[in-house]
């Protein structure tokens, strides 16, 4: 035991009191149902052993003391705790005395007789407490200390009955966890999920994609070594506690990777030396953080057939159903029975024999608490504060369509760590997605041969016209917006899964479980100090006049014969008015309830206190009061300006120093221009790669330093279809460039800066016209390709130099791009692997896809040529990003892109008031997700569609009689029209010469036609109204 051991006395007594209270309550109310009537129980710790799992003995030590105390005996009675340990350990325990429960410490020495007396004291205490002694029967401590106790206890144990106390300790002490314990389990679970999704999935995909030969053991070892990289956990997308310490992180299960037909779904499974097989891959791992454990396991399907995918969807539905049922008051066996009932009622009831015999157990200090095993026989009831791991799976299912020998059988498994609450449970490992869109990988789509097209009979009337040139629509605009119904149905199904996943993640992240702050961060009351001492007042205060002290940002007002200072931040405004011979100076101060809307958010330390709202001073010197009012106004403006500048620069970081390359010439890229430009002037310079960052320098000595640790994304954009080739750096925190802050720094070179000889030379004597122009085009194409190659190689060199930072070069996909207006002008937006960017025209746009919560498409309705897209972010305090005026031709490609990168989207016909929506969300995110979360966006669009359909139907509702009458009338009109038309064709010239019929004659003909159709009576009233 080192000097650094520090036991939390308050936590120790609180937990000990909880245990003894439960013990006494069980004796008094439940007839010793839980503790089985024991009068005392012991926790005996021998020598420490290196093991990944804790026994009850270890767990009790960690739960009470926070440490293991080897060679220690604890004797518990309802009123006291006796501890026998070495003198060195006893020193650390002395501080625990004086609490609600009496603590007695017996120190062992080298005197054997004295040590024997300590054991005799404990045995006398046990005998006085009753004939039943609680012991941890399944624990097997060892060591000399244990042997001594067993010898002493064996001589006096004739009249003592030993009872296994393990179930009672699980329920009364370890199962229900307090706030600190829950936070540790949550951090452990989020770290586990982070390793699974942000490391293992990437490694697995790379191995499969490049067809590498990597064994399960090698892949597991690679995951194991990830604990030695603190930066990995700092950059996890799942939020860990601010004080997260990677030194207290360790594996308790796995990591285990299994594939190729050989699977073991127990937590004792070990990885083998077989190579990773592209089929059904099960990966599982468990971490312990500050002694508290968590587990997560996922099944990844590579090119699965329909049967495997269908069975996985069944397992996922069972898993989600169990999680939905898990809450306070429900028996553990009900979870297992729920799973069995779902299997029996499904289309595959024969899978029941493949289902696991237990779907989880308690987890925390113990990796697996068997007392809380989730099986068909456990009647124990779940309580608020318990943590469980829920593990569902099918073992050794026969594959009806195996792709090779190793695919004949397969297993499926899903494991999550959850926290039980009163109404529902929180999934701590929700960061590791389990939906089919996240676990299914398809690598063979591109390799498959296209299916032969069916031969269609040619129409002899078509002749030599190609069948592909005959389209369904006549208008080009309609062709570009045709909807693939199959793709739309697939997207709709996938979006439904994504929406459900978002809802679950929202409820988990913004739960009331572990003390997350759901509300908006309130503005803090700021205190301003004008003067610390009286001698700092201006000398003119003796005159008892209004003084404006610009140095201290204060105005000093004479009040009842005393100079009283008011900081300028407390002043709202000042004004001067004239009435007769007198001039009046009015100074208004800030006070609660003055403003309206945004002006009323000024915080006050005590809004219920009495406030002075204004002062008015009178003087005959009008010019002086005018000058004072101007001084106060200018001072107020300066203070506001300083506050705005301070707020604008508060996220700017002071970077560490750049470590330059000394022993060699740094890799550099010359003749590039920076954006934003230094001093607003366009001057070329060169970029150099140093040990920990980049440095740009021009011939005037101006520098821009960018550290690799501050880089969030690095982009290379070629000059294809562009005028420039560029390398773009998107930063985590802004830096100062000149006098302005910048979060995006770009180095570019113009691709069109080329010179041609247009005056004539020797070549022009032999080449004319098209030949020379063709050669120039070829030369420009070669120069562009060389420029792209040069910049791309430099970007890759930056990636190599910053290989420890975890980011790489990202290149925009121009074929997925679309036009839109993210700021002021219409630009071309291009997706990359990790972002959506616009890097050509400032201001630049860089949206990190992992930070996006949902996307909403606005103004999507028939007849409009454009629509808008709004991205909301996972950080609800961040304002949504709008990309407006996207051509409707890009609607389907945009939907397909959003769906392919697993971003949930919705669409609606109107623009929404996002400022109001985000205020509602940030005020109470938990209630927002309880009320359905983002489903209101989809519901609104559905309502609008339904309303439109109803309007269309009501507009065309006609009875059968009206329909028949309308048909007769239309046929008569058509025949009349045809006759008139044929007559008009023959008399076209004569009609023009003779002139048309006058209005009176036309009206008589119309009345005659109305009488013939029987409509004259119905139109009389309308005719009278028109005449009036």
């Amino acid at each position: 035991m080192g000097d650094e051991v520090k036991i939390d006395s308050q936590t120790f007594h609180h937990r000990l009191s909880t245990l003894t209270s439960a013990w006494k309550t069980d004796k008094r109310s439940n007839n010793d149902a839980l503790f089985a009537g024991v009068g005392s129980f012991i926790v005996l710790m021998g020598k420490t052993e290196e093991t990944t799992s804790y026994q009850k003995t270890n767990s009790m030590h960690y739960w009470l003391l926070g440490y293991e105390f080897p060679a220690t005996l604890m004797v518990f009675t309802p009123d006291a705790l006796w501890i026998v340990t070495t003198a060195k350990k006893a020193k650390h325990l002395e501080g625990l005395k004086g609490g609600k429960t009496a603590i007695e410490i017996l120190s062992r020495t080298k005197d054997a007789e004295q040590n024997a007396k300590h054991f005799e004291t404990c045995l006398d205490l046990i005998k006085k407490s009753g004939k039943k002694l609680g012991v941890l029967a399944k624990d097997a401590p060892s060591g000399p200390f244990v042997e001594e106790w067993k010898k002493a206890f064996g001589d006096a144990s004739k009249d003592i009955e030993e009872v296994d106390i393990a179930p009672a300790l699980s329920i009364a002490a370890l199962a229900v966890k307090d706030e600190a314990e829950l936070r540790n389990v949550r951090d452990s679970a989020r770290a586990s999920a982070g390793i699974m999704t942000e490391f293992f999935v990437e490694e697995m995909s790379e191995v499969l994609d490049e067809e590498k030969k990597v064994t399960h053991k090698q892949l597991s070892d690679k995951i194991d070594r990830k604990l030695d990289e603190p930066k990995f956990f700092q950059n996890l997308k799942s939020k860990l506690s601010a004080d997260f310490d990677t030194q207290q992180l360790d594996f308790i299960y796995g990591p285990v990777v299994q594939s190729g037909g050989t699977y073991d779904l127990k937590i004792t499974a070990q990885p083998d030396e077989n190579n990773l097989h592209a089929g059904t891959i099960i990966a599982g791992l468990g971490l312990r953080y500050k002694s508290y454990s968590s587990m997560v396991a996922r099944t990844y399907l590579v090119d699965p057939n329909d049967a495997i995918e269908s069975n996985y969807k069944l397992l996922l539905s069972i898993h989600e159903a169990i999680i939905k049922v898990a809450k306070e008051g429900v028996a553990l066996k009900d979870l297992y029975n729920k799973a069995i009932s779902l299997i029996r009622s499904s289309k595959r009831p024969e899978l029941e024999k493949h289902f696991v015999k237990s779907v989880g157990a308690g987890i925390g200090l113990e990796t697996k608490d068997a007392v809380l095993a989730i099986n068909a026989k456990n009647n124990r009831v779940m309580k608020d504060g318990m943590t469980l791991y829920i593990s569902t799976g099918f073992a050794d299912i026969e594959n009806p369509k195996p792709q090779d020998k190793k695919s004949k059988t397969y297993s499926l498994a899903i494991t999550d760590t959850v926290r039980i609450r009163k109404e529902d449970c929180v999934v701590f490992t929700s960061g590791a997605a389990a939906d089919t869109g996240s676990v299914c990988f398809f690598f063979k789509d591109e390799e498959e041969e296209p299916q032969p097209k069916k031969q269609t009979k040619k129409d002899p009337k078509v002749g030599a016209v190609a069948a592909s040139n005959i389209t369904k629509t006549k208008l080009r605009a309609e062709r570009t917006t045709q909807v693939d119904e199959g793709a739309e149905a697939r997207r709709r199904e996938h979006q439904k899964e994504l929406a459900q996943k978002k809802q679950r993640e929202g409820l988990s992240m913004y739960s009331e479980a572990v003390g997350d702050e759901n509300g908006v961060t309130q503005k803090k009351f700021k205190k301003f100090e004008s003067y610390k001492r009286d001698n700092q007042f201006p000398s003119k205060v003796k005159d008892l006049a209004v003084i404006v002290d610009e140095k201290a940002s204060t105005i000093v007002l004479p009040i009842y014969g005393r100079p009283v200072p008011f900081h300028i931040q407390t002043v709202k405004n000042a004004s001067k008015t004239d009435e007769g011979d007198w001039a009046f100076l009015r100074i208004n101060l800030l006070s609660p309830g003055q403003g309206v809307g945004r002006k009323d958010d000024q915080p006050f330390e005590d809004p219920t206190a009495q406030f002075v709202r204004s002062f008015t001073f009178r003087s005959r010197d009008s010019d002086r009061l005018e000058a004072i009012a101007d001084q106060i106004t200018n001072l107020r403006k300066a203070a506001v300006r300083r506050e705005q500048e301070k707020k604008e620069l508060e996220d700017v970081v002071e970077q560490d120093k750049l470590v330059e390359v000394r022993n060699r010439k740094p890799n550099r890229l010359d003749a590039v221009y920076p954006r934003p430009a230094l001093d607003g002037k366009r001057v070329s310079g060169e970029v150099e790669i140093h040990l920990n960052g980049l440095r740009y320098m021009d011939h005037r000595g101006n520098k821009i330093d960018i550290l690799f640790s501050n880089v969030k994304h690095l982009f290379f954009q070629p000059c294809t279809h562009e005028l420039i080739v560029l390398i773009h750096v998107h930063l985590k925190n802004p830096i100062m460039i000149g006098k302005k802050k910048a979060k995006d720094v770009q180095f570019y070179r113009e691709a069109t800066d080329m010179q041609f000889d247009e005056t004539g030379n020797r070549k022009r004597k032999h080449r004319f016209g098209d030949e020379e122009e063709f050669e120039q085009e070829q030369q420009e194409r070669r120069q562009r390709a060389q420029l792209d190659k040069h910049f791309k190689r430099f970007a890759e060199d930056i990636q190599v130099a910053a290989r420890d930072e975890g980011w790489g070069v990202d290149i925009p996909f121009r074929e997925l791009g679309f036009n839109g207006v993210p700021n002021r002008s219409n630009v071309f937006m291009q997706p990359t692997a990790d972002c959506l960017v616009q890097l050509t025209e400032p201001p630049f746009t860089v949206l990190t896809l992992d930070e996006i919560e949902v996307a909403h498409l606005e103004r999507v309705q028939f007849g409009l040529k454009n629509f808008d897209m709004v991205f909301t972010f996972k950080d609800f305090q961040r304002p949504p990003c709008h990309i407006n005026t996207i051509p409707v031709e890009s609607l389907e490609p945009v939907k397909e892109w959003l769906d392919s990168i697993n971003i949930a989207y919705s669409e609606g016909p109107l623009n929404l008031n996002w400022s109001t929506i985000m205020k509602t969300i940030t005020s109470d995110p938990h209630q927002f997700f309880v009320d359905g979360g983002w489903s209101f966006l989809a519901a609104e669009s559905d309502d609008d569609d339904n309303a439109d359909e109803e309007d269309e139907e009501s507009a065309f509702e006609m009875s059968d009689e009206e329909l028949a009458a309308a048909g007769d009338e239309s046929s008569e009109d058509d025949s009349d029209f045809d006759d008139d038309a044929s007559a008009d064709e023959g008399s076209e010239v004569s009609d023009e010469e003779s002139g048309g019929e006058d209005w009176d004659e036309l009206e008589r003909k119309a009345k005659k036609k109305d009488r013939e159709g029987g409509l004259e009576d119905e139109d009389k009233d309308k005719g009278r109204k028109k005449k009036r």
Side-chain angles (χ1 to χ4, degrees):
M1 287 286 171
D3 294 335
E4 71 276 3
V5 174
K6 187 177 180 181
I7 301 173
D8 189 337
S9 176
Q10 185 177 355
T11 301
F12 170 82
H13 283 289
H14 172 72
R15 292 180 179 177
L16 181 59
S17 177
T18 301
L19 175 60
T20 55
S21 297
W23 190 0
K24 292 176 182 178
T25 302
D26 185 61
K27 278 182 174 293
R28 186 171 55 251
S29 305
N30 299 332
N31 298 320
D32 290 323
L34 183 60
F35 284 81
V38 299
S40 61
F41 67 88
I42 63 170
V43 175
L44 178 63
M45 170 75 78
K47 65 180 182 180
T48 56
E49 297 179 0
E50 292 293 331
T51 178
T52 57
S53 61
Y54 288 168
Q55 296 178 330
K56 279 286 188 297
T57 303
N58 310 78
S59 300
M60 286 301 295
H61 274 248
Y62 277 110
W63 186 67
L64 286 172
L65 305 173
Y67 303 92
E68 278 185 350
F69 278 64
T72 300
L73 172 67
M74 294 182 179
V75 181
F76 293 81
T77 68
D79 302 312
L81 168 61
W82 291 68
I83 304 175
V84 181
T85 188
T86 62
K88 191 174 182 180
K89 300 185 188 77
K91 290 180 181 179
H92 299 293
L93 299 172
E94 286 293 334
L96 301 179
K97 292 182 177 180
K100 184 177 179 181
T101 304
I103 308 295
E104 296 294 336
I105 300 173
L106 304 177
S107 301
R108 287 169 58 84
T109 61
K110 294 181 180 180
D111 187 353
E113 292 184 6
Q114 183 68 27
N115 295 340
K117 288 182 180 179
H118 290 335
F119 283 149
E120 289 177 7
T121 303
C122 293
L123 289 170
D124 291 339
L125 179 66
I126 292 170
K127 291 177 181 178
K128 291 178 182 178
S129 300
K131 293 183 179 181
K132 288 187 177 182
L133 172 66
V135 296
L136 297 173
K138 294 183 179 180
D139 288 9
S142 60
F145 178 79
V146 176
E147 294 303 322
E148 284 184 45
W149 166 254
K150 286 182 178 179
K151 184 179 179 181
F153 181 73
D155 298 336
S157 62
K158 297 178 181 178
D159 300 329
I160 299 175
E161 180 187 350
E162 295 184 23
V163 178
D164 188 8
I165 201 70
L169 294 184
S170 287
I171 301 301
L174 304 177
V176 177
K177 296 167 181 61
D178 58 28
E179 190 79 12
E181 293 178 289
L182 287 171
R183 191 175 292 109
N184 291 337
V185 175
R186 181 189 64 178
D187 285 342
S188 171
R190 288 183 175 178
S192 300
I195 290 179
M196 181 67 73
T197 55
E198 298 182 37
F199 180 72
F200 170 74
V201 173
E202 298 297 328
E203 288 293 319
M204 178 190 69
S205 302
E206 183 179 345
V207 170
L208 297 175
D209 196 20
E210 299 179 10
E211 298 182 354
K212 296 179 181 178
K213 300 296 182 182
V214 178
T215 66
H216 298 144
K217 185 71 167 62
Q218 291 173 337
L219 194 53
S220 298
D221 291 343
K222 201 168 186 179
I223 301 170
D224 197 348
R225 291 193 294 270
K226 208 65 185 172
L227 292 191
D228 300 328
E229 300 179 22
K231 285 186 178 179
F232 172 79
F233 294 96
Q234 293 172 6
N235 298 325
L236 280 181
K237 297 167 188 173
S238 302
K239 293 181 180 178
L240 301 174
S241 297
D243 58 348
F244 186 81
D245 182 11
T246 55
Q247 297 296 321
Q248 301 195 52
L249 206 57
D250 194 14
F251 277 105
I252 49 99
Y253 159 52
V256 180
V257 181
Q258 305 176 74
S259 67
T262 304
Y263 303 95
D264 183 359
L265 302 187
K266 298 177 182 178
I267 63 174
T268 55
Q270 296 294 327
D272 56 31
E273 296 293 342
N274 295 326
N275 287 334
L276 185 70
H277 176 258
T280 303
I281 301 171
I282 297 179
L285 60 93
L287 289 177
R288 175 186 288 133
Y289 178 67
K290 292 184 178 180
S291 304
Y292 286 86
S293 307
S294 68
M295 275 194 281
V296 62
R298 293 290 182 265
T299 302
Y300 296 98
L301 308 176
V302 181
D303 297 314
N305 55 42
D306 293 340
I308 296 177
E309 192 170 355
S310 175
N311 289 340
Y312 180 81
K313 287 181 179 179
L314 174 61
L315 179 64
L316 181 61
S317 65
I318 293 170
H319 190 81
E320 291 175 344
I322 292 175
I323 290 175
K324 192 173 182 180
V325 172
K327 58 184 176 181
E328 185 177 33
V330 177
L332 291 167
K333 67 176 183 180
D334 292 342
L335 303 186
Y336 189 83
N337 294 334
K338 176 70 174 179
I340 296 300
S341 65
L342 288 174
I343 297 173
R344 291 173 179 173
S345 62
S346 69
K347 296 179 180 179
R348 297 292 307 277
E350 67 275 10
L351 290 176
E352 182 180 348
K353 62 183 179 182
H354 298 282
F355 194 65
V356 291
K357 303 304 179 185
S358 172
V359 293
I363 195 169
L365 287 168
E366 294 180 275
T367 305
K368 178 181 179 181
D369 189 350
V371 175
L372 299 177
I374 309 174
N375 52 38
K377 299 179 180 179
N378 197 339
N379 293 314
R380 300 192 185 278
V381 174
M382 290 178 283
K383 296 179 181 179
D384 185 8
M386 286 184 175
T387 52
L388 310 171
Y389 75 88
I390 294 179
S391 180
T392 56
F394 292 122
D396 301 327
I397 307 174
E398 186 176 348
N399 189 355
K401 297 179 181 178
Q403 58 186 10
D404 50 40
K405 293 181 179 179
K406 292 185 176 181
S407 302
K408 290 182 178 179
T409 59
Y410 64 94
S411 298
L412 305 171
I414 306 173
T415 301
D416 279 305
T417 302
V418 303
R419 186 260 201 210
I420 303 301
R421 297 193 306 179
K422 292 182 179 180
E423 300 298 330
D424 55 5
C425 74
V426 179
V427 183
F428 282 154
T429 49
S430 60
D435 58 282
T436 52
S438 300
V439 302
C440 292
F441 296 84
F442 297 92
F443 294 97
K444 292 187 177 180
D445 290 354
E446 299 175 0
E447 302 173 6
E448 291 179 356
E449 297 181 0
Q451 297 180 355
K453 297 181 180 179
K454 294 181 180 179
Q455 295 292 332
T456 56
K457 294 182 179 180
K458 292 185 178 180
D459 189 346
K461 297 179 181 179
V462 175
V465 179
S468 59
N469 291 336
I470 302 176
T471 59
K472 295 180 180 179
T473 59
K474 297 179 180 179
L475 303 178
R476 285 175 291 179
E478 291 180 3
R479 292 177 206 160
T480 56
T481 58
Q482 286 180 8
V483 180
D484 185 347
E485 294 181 1
E488 182 66 26
R490 175 182 53 79
R491 283 201 303 263
R492 194 180 298 113
E493 185 66 26
H494 186 215
Q495 285 298 313
K496 188 177 180 181
E497 293 179 4
L498 291 177
Q500 293 171 352
K501 177 185 172 185
K502 282 291 173 192
Q503 179 69 6
R504 290 195 302 270
E505 289 178 353
L507 289 171
S508 173
M509 181 172 293
Y510 294 99
S511 66
E512 301 168 340
V514 288
D516 290 338
E517 293 183 3
N518 294 336
V520 183
T521 303
Q522 298 295 325
K523 292 188 177 182
K524 295 182 179 179
F525 173 74
K526 294 182 180 180
K527 292 186 177 181
F528 303 97
E529 191 173 45
S530 296
Y531 307 106
K532 292 184 178 180
R533 295 178 296 276
D534 293 344
N535 58 8
Q536 292 179 335
F537 275 87
S539 57
K540 294 181 181 180
V541 297
K542 298 178 181 178
D543 300 337
L544 292 178
V546 178
I547 299 172
V548 180
D549 186 358
E550 295 184 1
K551 186 183 292 186
S553 297
T554 301
I555 58 173
V556 183
L557 305 179
I559 301 175
Y560 294 117
R562 291 179 178 274
V564 180
F566 290 86
H567 196 277
I568 194 63
Q569 294 288 357
T570 65
V571 177
K572 185 178 180 183
N573 54 40
S575 61
K576 174 251 179 185
T577 56
D578 294 314
E579 292 184 11
D581 296 335
W582 294 94
F584 294 87
L585 174 66
R586 182 181 177 90
I587 301 174
N588 296 317
L589 305 180
L590 291 171
S591 60
Q594 265 187 309
V596 178
R598 272 182 278 179
K599 295 182 180 179
D600 199 24
D601 60 356
Q602 177 71 26
F604 292 90
E605 190 172 23
D606 182 12
T608 62
Q610 299 292 328
F611 287 84
V612 178
R613 182 159 287 188
S614 65
F615 292 100
T616 303
F617 295 91
R618 186 178 68 169
S619 174
R620 293 184 183 276
D621 191 349
S622 177
D623 294 337
R624 171 168 165 72
L625 294 189
E626 182 74 31
I628 291 173
D630 291 341
Q631 286 178 337
I632 294 174
T633 301
N634 293 334
L635 191 61
R636 176 66 183 163
K637 288 180 180 178
V640 171
R641 193 183 313 114
R642 284 195 302 271
E643 283 292 317
Q644 289 176 345
E645 291 174 356
K646 184 179 178 182
K647 187 175 181 181
E648 184 179 353
L649 300 178
E650 64 184 2
D651 58 344
V652 176
V653 297
E654 187 70 28
Q655 296 189 118
D656 295 334
K657 289 186 178 180
L658 187 77
V659 181
E660 299 182 35
V661 175
R662 297 293 184 186
N663 55 352
R664 59 178 173 82
K665 192 175 181 180
N667 191 354
R668 59 166 53 96
L669 181 67
D670 56 3
V672 296
Y673 297 94
R675 289 200 289 193
L678 287 164
D679 300 330
K681 296 180 181 178
R682 185 173 176 271
V683 179
S684 66
E686 58 184 22
V687 184
E688 298 176 343
I689 303 176
H690 290 276
L691 294 179
N692 65 335
L694 304 174
R695 168 168 287 174
Y696 167 83
M697 183 180 294
D698 61 20
H699 68 276
R700 297 179 300 178
N702 294 323
K703 293 188 299 183
I704 300 176
D705 289 347
I706 302 173
L707 297 189
F708 294 144
S709 59
N710 193 30
V711 175
K712 190 173 183 180
H713 299 291
L714 177 68
F715 302 99
F716 159 69
Q717 180 173 293
C719 55
T720 308
H721 304 291
E722 299 286 354
L723 300 178
I724 59 175
V725 57
L726 59 88
I727 292 174
H728 186 98
V729 183
H730 182 66
L731 305 176
K732 296 176 183 175
N733 299 297
I735 61 173
M736 293 300 295
I737 297 181
K739 296 181 180 180
K740 295 182 178 180
K741 73 172 184 178
K743 201 170 182 179
D744 291 275
V745 184
Q746 188 178 105
F747 307 104
Y748 72 96
R749 189 186 297 174
E750 293 180 349
T752 56
D753 189 15
M754 302 174 185
Q755 298 177 356
F756 299 99
D757 184 7
E758 296 181 357
T759 60
N761 55 23
R762 286 181 298 175
K763 292 182 179 180
R764 289 195 60 157
K765 294 179 182 178
H766 307 286
R767 299 177 182 176
F768 303 96
D770 293 342
E771 292 183 10
E772 182 183 7
E773 186 177 348
F774 177 73
E775 183 181 349
Q776 289 178 358
E777 290 176 357
Q778 291 289 347
Q779 178 69 11
E780 182 179 351
R781 193 174 292 113
R782 284 192 294 270
Q783 290 190 17
R784 280 176 169 264
Q786 186 66 25
L787 204 55
D788 286 345
K789 185 178 179 181
H790 189 39
F791 268 69
K792 185 177 182 181
R793 188 187 305 118
F794 189 78
E796 290 172 347
D797 290 342
I798 296 174
Q799 177 181 343
V800 172
R803 53 185 171 272
D804 296 333
E805 298 297 331
W807 45 260
V809 181
D810 218 352
I811 303 176
F813 303 122
R814 188 173 184 87
E815 60 274 13
L816 298 178
F818 54 90
N819 286 297
V821 184
N823 291 294
R824 294 185 296 272
S825 56
N826 195 317
V827 293
F828 191 66
M829 307 292 298
Q830 301 180 81
T832 69
D834 299 318
C835 302
L836 175 64
V837 300
Q838 186 282 121
L839 308 175
T840 306
E841 181 180 330
F844 307 116
T845 302
V846 179
L847 299 178
T848 305
L849 300 179
D850 289 334
E851 296 175 355
I852 294 174
E853 176 77 0
V854 295
H856 183 63
L857 310 179
E858 300 180 326
R859 296 195 301 120
V860 179
Q861 53 180 306
F862 180 76
L864 293 184
K865 295 182 179 179
N866 304 302
F867 68 96
D868 304 330
M869 181 160 53
V870 182
F871 291 108
T872 61
F873 299 97
K874 295 177 180 176
D875 179 7
F876 293 150
Q877 303 295 336
R878 185 175 170 186
C881 176
H882 297 253
I883 302 176
N884 300 325
T885 324
I886 304 172
V888 74
E889 290 82 8
S890 301
L891 180 60
E892 290 303 310
V894 166
K895 286 183 181 179
E896 186 64 31
W897 168 66
L898 290 172
D899 189 68
S900 67
I901 57 176
N902 294 329
I903 290 182
Y905 70 84
S906 55
E907 57 183 87
L910 303 173
N911 292 104
L912 303 178
N913 188 344
W914 285 99
S915 60
T916 304
I917 292 172
M918 297 313 295
K919 282 181 182 178
T920 304
I921 296 172
T922 53
S923 63
D924 190 353
H926 173 68
Q927 188 59 41
F928 169 72
F929 283 103
V930 168
D931 294 339
W934 299 106
S935 60
F936 79 94
L937 294 174
E940 182 177 339
S941 61
D942 293 342
D943 292 342
D944 291 332
D945 293 341
N946 294 336
D948 292 341
E949 291 175 6
E950 290 176 4
D951 291 343
E952 291 174 5
E953 289 176 4
S954 62
F956 291 97
E957 286 180 358
M958 297 181 70
S959 64
D960 295 338
E961 297 176 358
E962 291 173 336
L963 189 61
D968 296 340
E969 184 180 344
S970 61
S971 61
E972 290 175 6
D973 292 343
D974 289 342
S975 61
D976 290 344
F977 177 79
D978 294 339
D979 294 339
D980 293 341
S982 59
D984 288 344
E985 285 179 3
S987 60
E988 184 176 356
V989 178
S990 61
D991 284 345
E992 288 180 358
E993 292 175 356
S994 61
E997 299 173 339
D998 60 6
W999 286 105
D1000 294 332
E1001 189 170 353
L1002 288 171
E1003 190 172 359
R1004 283 195 298 273
K1005 285 187 176 182
K1007 287 182 178 180
K1008 183 179 180 182
K1009 186 173 277 189
D1010 290 343
R1011 282 194 298 273
E1012 292 172 356
L1015 300 174
E1016 184 181 18
D1017 297 335
E1018 295 177 8
D1019 293 343
K1020 279 184 180 179
D1021 295 337
K1022 294 180 182 178
R1024 293 193 189 101
K1025 289 179 182 178
K1026 287 179 181 178
K1027 289 177 183 178
R1028 289 173 187 170

